[in-house]
Amino acid sequence: MKIDALNEWLPLPAPGTPLVIAGPCSAESEEQVLRTAHALKEISAVKVFRAGIWKPRTRPNNFEGLGELALPWLAKVKKETGLLTTTEVATAKHVELCLKAGIDILWIGARTTANPFSVQEIADALKGVDIPVMVKNPINADLQLWIGALERMNQAGISKLVAIHRGFSVAEKLEFRNDPLWRIPMELKVKFPELPLLCDPSHITGKRELVQKVCQKAMDLDMNGLIIETHPDPDKAWSDASQQVTPEKLLNIISSLSLKREYSQDKNYTEELNDLREQIDRLDSELIHTLKLRQQVVEKIAMAKINQNITALQKGRFEELMKDRLVTAEKMGLSLDFIKEIFDSIHEQSVQIQTDLFEKNNK
């Protein structure tokens, strides 16, 4: 993908300060929008004002935004505060109205990202238009859908692209409203290092008291900035009241963040890091070698099963294996979710190897 650097089209805050996009979940009234914007312009890290105009809701009869009526309020925000403006679009008509109203940046929400037809409709509406577009991850944990949405925008000629990590919907709700699954945005960052990546802690947490924690995690992972829902009176917000913070609280959150550097001039640190990386390289090499030995044993098991006419998949055996591995992992202080994911993949590969040998033997 051809992607423009963030500093080529967006005024960035001073070094040592994260880029912040802030504003209410929904534009509720002109007074609310302008009151929030004027408070946010006093926070140097905030360069873009966000507000939802069209709100996709799970069920009807909930507040779905004021639509076109609210667009002039965002124009007034830019005129009075100098902040750039952004809002969510989900259809070609939304795009048309936003371009006409002079909105500076568009964003594609998680529900829309999950539907390639909708993404393509928006991409077609943007052909020939030079406007930044931010793409949130899809609600389901599917990296390829996220990449596909970004690629559709890029193929339409949009080079001012930003990815937004807002977490993923999971059946089991634990600490957060949406599971961050940090490995997915990090994989996106590895695949496309030139792509700016922002974090949306509001939608990840669903709770304002957890926003700072997720902001710090995003900074620790070297994300390029944050998009945080901010409301002058969050408890009275018409949507997502529990996850919005006041402008005062936003300033406290930003001020509390500890930002990491990518490099250090300390010679001792550099030498120590190189030594540790050599250890990682050796361990990875040993791990690959062990996996190769395991594969060879799996192939021998497959041949033994073939000779005895036994099926490749034996569910009871895998369940016993997984239980044993998790007990061992817990004793060693390892993440059970991490170990389970690893052995699920190993087992899937083992079954595939055995299945391939079975098919080859039957020819």
Side-chain angles (χ1 to χ4, degrees), residues 11 25 73 93 117 136 153 187 206 231 240 291 298:
C25 173
W73 305 342
K93 182 63 175 178
F117 291 113
K136 290 194 173 186
M153 293 298 114
E187 188 174 344
H231 192 289
D240 287 346
L291 288 172
V298 168

mmCIF file of all heavy atoms in Angstrom, residues 11 25 73 93 117 136 153 187 206 231 240 291 298:
data_model
loop_
_atom_site.group_PDB
_atom_site.id
_atom_site.type_symbol
_atom_site.label_atom_id
_atom_site.label_comp_id
_atom_site.label_asym_id
_atom_site.label_seq_id
_atom_site.Cartn_x
_atom_site.Cartn_y
_atom_site.Cartn_z
ATOM 1 N N PRO A 11 -1.314 18.186 11.574
ATOM 2 C CA PRO A 11 -0.454 18.905 12.528
ATOM 3 C C PRO A 11 -0.264 18.069 13.790
ATOM 4 O O PRO A 11 -1.229 17.788 14.501
ATOM 5 C CB PRO A 11 -1.233 20.190 12.816
ATOM 6 C CG PRO A 11 -2.667 19.858 12.513
ATOM 7 C CD PRO A 11 -2.614 18.849 11.405
ATOM 8 N N CYS A 25 -19.107 10.939 21.773
ATOM 9 C CA CYS A 25 -19.569 9.796 20.987
ATOM 10 C C CYS A 25 -20.547 10.278 19.923
ATOM 11 O O CYS A 25 -20.413 9.933 18.753
ATOM 12 C CB CYS A 25 -20.230 8.776 21.911
ATOM 13 S SG CYS A 25 -21.018 7.402 21.048
ATOM 14 N N TRP A 73 -22.544 22.033 12.555
ATOM 15 C CA TRP A 73 -21.920 22.262 13.869
ATOM 16 C C TRP A 73 -20.430 21.944 13.809
ATOM 17 O O TRP A 73 -19.616 22.630 14.439
ATOM 18 C CB TRP A 73 -22.587 21.397 14.941
ATOM 19 C CG TRP A 73 -24.068 21.566 15.036
ATOM 20 C CD1 TRP A 73 -24.824 22.604 14.545
ATOM 21 C CD2 TRP A 73 -24.997 20.664 15.646
ATOM 22 N NE1 TRP A 73 -26.153 22.402 14.807
ATOM 23 C CE2 TRP A 73 -26.295 21.229 15.486
ATOM 24 C CE3 TRP A 73 -24.869 19.451 16.307
ATOM 25 C CZ2 TRP A 73 -27.446 20.606 15.980
ATOM 26 C CZ3 TRP A 73 -26.005 18.825 16.800
ATOM 27 C CH2 TRP A 73 -27.284 19.399 16.641
ATOM 28 N N LYS A 93 -23.792 7.967 0.508
ATOM 29 C CA LYS A 93 -24.520 9.207 0.785
ATOM 30 C C LYS A 93 -23.866 9.964 1.943
ATOM 31 O O LYS A 93 -23.741 11.197 1.892
ATOM 32 C CB LYS A 93 -25.983 8.886 1.129
ATOM 33 C CG LYS A 93 -26.856 10.117 1.388
ATOM 34 C CD LYS A 93 -26.974 10.994 0.169
ATOM 35 C CE LYS A 93 -27.946 12.151 0.404
ATOM 36 N NZ LYS A 93 -28.036 13.042 -0.775
ATOM 37 N N PHE A 117 -18.781 -5.237 0.974
ATOM 38 C CA PHE A 117 -19.656 -4.523 0.042
ATOM 39 C C PHE A 117 -19.802 -3.051 0.454
ATOM 40 O O PHE A 117 -19.726 -2.141 -0.372
ATOM 41 C CB PHE A 117 -21.032 -5.189 -0.027
ATOM 42 C CG PHE A 117 -21.025 -6.539 -0.681
ATOM 43 C CD1 PHE A 117 -21.291 -7.685 0.050
ATOM 44 C CD2 PHE A 117 -20.753 -6.678 -2.037
ATOM 45 C CE1 PHE A 117 -21.283 -8.936 -0.547
ATOM 46 C CE2 PHE A 117 -20.743 -7.927 -2.645
ATOM 47 C CZ PHE A 117 -21.003 -9.065 -1.890
ATOM 48 N N LYS A 136 -11.439 1.568 11.272
ATOM 49 C CA LYS A 136 -11.434 0.781 12.510
ATOM 50 C C LYS A 136 -11.393 -0.708 12.176
ATOM 51 O O LYS A 136 -11.854 -1.130 11.110
ATOM 52 C CB LYS A 136 -12.677 1.087 13.357
ATOM 53 C CG LYS A 136 -12.666 2.482 13.978
ATOM 54 C CD LYS A 136 -13.717 2.607 15.069
ATOM 55 C CE LYS A 136 -13.601 3.939 15.796
ATOM 56 N NZ LYS A 136 -14.517 4.005 16.957
ATOM 57 N N MET A 153 -9.598 1.160 0.280
ATOM 58 C CA MET A 153 -9.437 2.619 0.316
ATOM 59 C C MET A 153 -8.209 3.040 -0.493
ATOM 60 O O MET A 153 -8.253 3.999 -1.275
ATOM 61 C CB MET A 153 -9.272 3.101 1.759
ATOM 62 C CG MET A 153 -10.492 2.942 2.641
ATOM 63 S SD MET A 153 -11.919 3.899 2.039
ATOM 64 C CE MET A 153 -13.013 2.539 1.612
ATOM 65 N N GLU A 187 0.381 -7.290 14.672
ATOM 66 C CA GLU A 187 0.656 -7.981 13.410
ATOM 67 C C GLU A 187 0.417 -7.043 12.226
ATOM 68 O O GLU A 187 1.173 -7.060 11.251
ATOM 69 C CB GLU A 187 -0.223 -9.225 13.283
ATOM 70 C CG GLU A 187 0.143 -10.105 12.104
ATOM 71 C CD GLU A 187 -0.641 -11.408 12.058
ATOM 72 O OE1 GLU A 187 -1.256 -11.772 13.085
ATOM 73 O OE2 GLU A 187 -0.641 -12.060 10.990
ATOM 74 N N GLY A 206 -15.078 0.368 27.477
ATOM 75 C CA GLY A 206 -16.488 0.534 27.825
ATOM 76 C C GLY A 206 -16.674 1.176 29.193
ATOM 77 O O GLY A 206 -17.805 1.407 29.631
ATOM 78 N N HIS A 231 -16.809 14.136 26.658
ATOM 79 C CA HIS A 231 -18.112 14.786 26.766
ATOM 80 C C HIS A 231 -18.093 15.708 27.987
ATOM 81 O O HIS A 231 -17.529 15.349 29.020
ATOM 82 C CB HIS A 231 -19.190 13.702 26.923
ATOM 83 C CG HIS A 231 -20.596 14.172 26.769
ATOM 84 N ND1 HIS A 231 -21.230 14.969 27.705
ATOM 85 C CD2 HIS A 231 -21.521 13.927 25.791
ATOM 86 C CE1 HIS A 231 -22.468 15.204 27.313
ATOM 87 N NE2 HIS A 231 -22.681 14.583 26.149
ATOM 88 N N ASP A 240 -23.312 5.717 24.812
ATOM 89 C CA ASP A 240 -22.022 5.299 25.397
ATOM 90 C C ASP A 240 -21.578 6.190 26.561
ATOM 91 O O ASP A 240 -20.408 6.582 26.648
ATOM 92 C CB ASP A 240 -20.929 5.277 24.319
ATOM 93 C CG ASP A 240 -21.099 4.093 23.372
ATOM 94 O OD1 ASP A 240 -21.870 3.170 23.697
ATOM 95 O OD2 ASP A 240 -20.471 4.101 22.299
ATOM 96 N N LEU A 291 10.159 -28.543 17.038
ATOM 97 C CA LEU A 291 8.925 -28.724 16.274
ATOM 98 C C LEU A 291 9.145 -29.680 15.102
ATOM 99 O O LEU A 291 8.258 -30.464 14.753
ATOM 100 C CB LEU A 291 8.403 -27.371 15.776
ATOM 101 C CG LEU A 291 7.812 -26.452 16.853
ATOM 102 C CD1 LEU A 291 7.517 -25.072 16.273
ATOM 103 C CD2 LEU A 291 6.535 -27.055 17.443
ATOM 104 N N VAL A 298 5.041 -37.369 14.752
ATOM 105 C CA VAL A 298 3.653 -37.384 14.284
ATOM 106 C C VAL A 298 3.531 -38.235 13.024
ATOM 107 O O VAL A 298 2.576 -39.008 12.861
ATOM 108 C CB VAL A 298 3.155 -35.942 14.016
ATOM 109 C CG1 VAL A 298 1.829 -35.956 13.250
ATOM 110 C CG2 VAL A 298 2.980 -35.183 15.332
#
